[in-house]
Amino acid sequence: MTSSAQTLTRRHMLSGAAGLAALGAGWIGAPRVASARQADNLARVDALIARMTIQEKAGQLNLLADPFRFRPQNVNPLDGQGDPARVTQMIREGTVGNLFNGIGADAGRRIQTIAVEESRLGIPLLFAADIIHGLKTVFPVPLAEAAAFDPDLAQRTARAAAVEGAASAVHQTYAPMVDVARDQRWGRVVEGAGEDVWLNEVLSAARVRGFQGERGLADRDALLATPKHFAAYSAAIAGMDYNTTDMSEATLRGVFLPPFKAAFEAGALSVMSGFNALNGVPVTGNPWLLTDILRDEWGFAGFVVSDYTSENELIAHGFAADGRDAARIALLAGVDMSMVSGLYLEHIPDLVAKGDVPLARVDQAVRRVLMTKAALGLFDNPYRGCDPRRERAVVGSKAHHDLAREAGVKSIVLLKNEGALLPLKPSGQKIALIGPFGDDVDNIFGPWTIWGDESRRVSLEAGFRAAMADAGDLVVVKGSEVEAELAGGIEAAVLAAGQADVVVLAIGESTRMSGEAQSRTEIDIPAPQRALAEAVAATGKPVVVLLRNGRALELAGPVKDAPAIVVTWFLGSEMGHAVADVVFGKVSPSGRLPVSFPHRSGQSPYSYDHRITGRPADNSLATQEYVARYRETTNTALYPFGHGLTYGAVTYGAVTPSETSLAWDGSVELSVSVTNTGDRAVEETVQLYIHDRVASLVQPGRRLRDVRKVTLAAGETKAAVFTLRRSQLEFIGGDGRPTVEPGVFNVWLTSSAQAGTPVTVRLAPPA
Ligand code: BGC
């Protein structure tokens, strides 16, 4: 990263005219317009900018928490936040242009009226919100939904969330989170698509398309998408949220940036800068990321919003001397809108007056924000989303709840099913549902739901009762709290287990155990629940474990040894119904792990696509010495990325390539036959992995490059066919650029990152 790092340091050190000269001629280039409508918008926006005072300009770059419709706790006592009277005054004065985390059509109209009718220029407010996995109707957490390996599903749930949000007077969502998450200790794994780059790219694009819709941002159902947290936020060292990050340019560009690029290619017009420092430079003050890469390389035309006070945190980082310096650095780096800190409003006028930030840079940021407001149609219809009748009609609709159930079912992953213990019978089998999540409704939405409809949460117990013929066949016993013992709990659980034919043990993490700032040192099941599992297993009754989790978990003892294990994550509003659909066999499980379940917490960070070493272990030999392994375990996964069983079994035939040589600009077809040997319909997710055998940079053992979903009736065989091209063999080289080198590649068409036998394909050099 030498040259870019030098540029970065130079820019940071210099201020005033010298700093600007170092930024290069193209830095404040003319905005690009791609259509007549955009040209009209630009003319309108520039006419407005010409009339704005510097305070009004700073106001358009100022984003505050909505004190009218939502009163967040822990608001930073900056700029009278949380005080409706003060913020009303600011809207009138034009010193706040954007509010976030308030919803509601009626109140939205009242607030917008202040901006449109009572401020000097009548510029409409932009309303943003963290609509991460649903508004009132809550869909599975993004990590769970990633397990469906289904971009169409991700697009549809994002669409439904957008329809509900847009009808509640919201214009922008702070989603999707597209941070590739390789350390399961990091709590925010739950908010994204897991450890794999390709899956993150595909789902990032799908979610952006879903939020923004296909009829343009001015459509009444569109929400502006905001991929976050740019960039490498998830690479926090040791998985501790907010921690610093350090990595090579090849890793940054090969792993952490591609899902952002995919989001922008899908049309995302805003992006959030993260809290973290990257190689010593906080990303919110990082011109190399926010300008060189984002603008100059990728041509991103939308606006950059800081994460919650992240520009203010440049001071705590020791990267800025004070608030004024922090505002200057963030603005010059490329942050257009300041979230919550109030620093832009406070310091922009003086920074410009003293020549520390050029007016042209402020105008550029304002233009980006106003162009986005124009793209959202706010100048023509500032009251979009302010119709309470539409809000009532679409929010929490039956169609959305049906979709939540479908998404829930598709997100469930069957890890193990010895002796075909599952599915359970809906009648004639006595079931003891044991564990802290049996009748619980507080831990089914998962993290990042602010407005979920709590009156419509379906517990496991409710789902089971609805699916079972005789409610008398079910007993529900808590046994333990999530993180504490429950007096008499184990005794009651053992008694219930003893009287049942089968135990369903619902254990794992609470909502509060994953999400922002919820990093863990061990990714295990809390001790009181492990004790409960021991006691229940000791009864000798067959146990089905239902895991509740926002990350991969370390499984041990009787949990690991249970005959059946199902990953049920946090599935949202319809959780109980979705789990019952799978547990009682109405639908065969089809989900696949988007994160590897390692043997031990201490393997973290672990991802299947770690680079190989000079001392690779033969993992079949338990006693190997002086190879890359631990004393306690091989460096593999207990349940690998991509793993997921169904009812019955799917078998794979041999992989047959159409040719063994791939021409430089050609393609090779690869096919494998998959057979459903079971007696019910299933869906198989066939995964294409590659490995470059000899390359100029050490390669991962495997990389996922494509996936095919195959639906198979009982007994049916079908071929899964893939086309392999040179682009899929590309990697980011040591110089940070995409590269592809002729030579031999291993290719797998298989069922998980640890399954299958490769065939080889040779990439020929250019003719
Ligand atoms: C989170 C963001 C979120 C923002 C606004 C921050 O603490 O990191 O993901 O969008 O708050 O709520």
Side-chain angles (χ1 to χ4, degrees), residues 685-761:
T685 301
V686 184
Q687 301 151 44
L688 182 154
Y689 295 91
I690 61 129
H691 169 65
D692 188 345
R693 285 208 191 163
V694 180
S696 56
L697 210 63
V698 172
Q699 291 298 301
R702 291 190 190 195
R703 286 163 65 209
L704 181 69
R705 305 311 289 149
D706 205 355
V707 152
R708 289 274 177 284
K709 295 231 164 223
V710 186
T711 49
L712 296 165
E716 193 181 9
T717 298
K718 275 187 190 161
V721 183
F722 293 80
T723 306
L724 187 70
R725 295 198 168 79
R726 189 184 76 224
S727 59
Q728 287 160 297
L729 306 177
E730 213 169 76
F731 66 93
I732 300 297
D735 60 357
R737 294 176 204 283
T739 178
V740 59
E741 295 162 357
V744 179
F745 291 78
N746 288 350
V747 184
W748 293 258
L749 302 187
T750 187
S751 59
S752 86
Q754 273 176 208
T757 313
V759 294
T760 56
V761 173

Side-chain angles (χ1 to χ4, degrees), residues 414 417 588-590 592 644-650 676 681-684:
L414 179 64
N417 191 22
S588 301
S590 60
R592 301 298 177 122
L645 304 175
T646 188
Y647 296 148
V650 175
N676 176 6
V682 302
E683 183 186 78
E684 176 65 10

Side-chain angles (χ1 to χ4, degrees), residues 100-101 130 132 174 188 191 228-229 233 242 272 275 307-308 339 448 516:
F100 79 104
N101 279 351
D130 286 283
I132 311 297
Y174 295 144
R188 303 192 78 170
E191 293 176 49
K228 66 187 187 187
H229 307 81
Y233 173 52
Y242 314 126
M272 188 184 291
F275 291 127
D307 200 351
Y308 204 101
M339 188 190 292
W448 265 130
E516 186 173 347

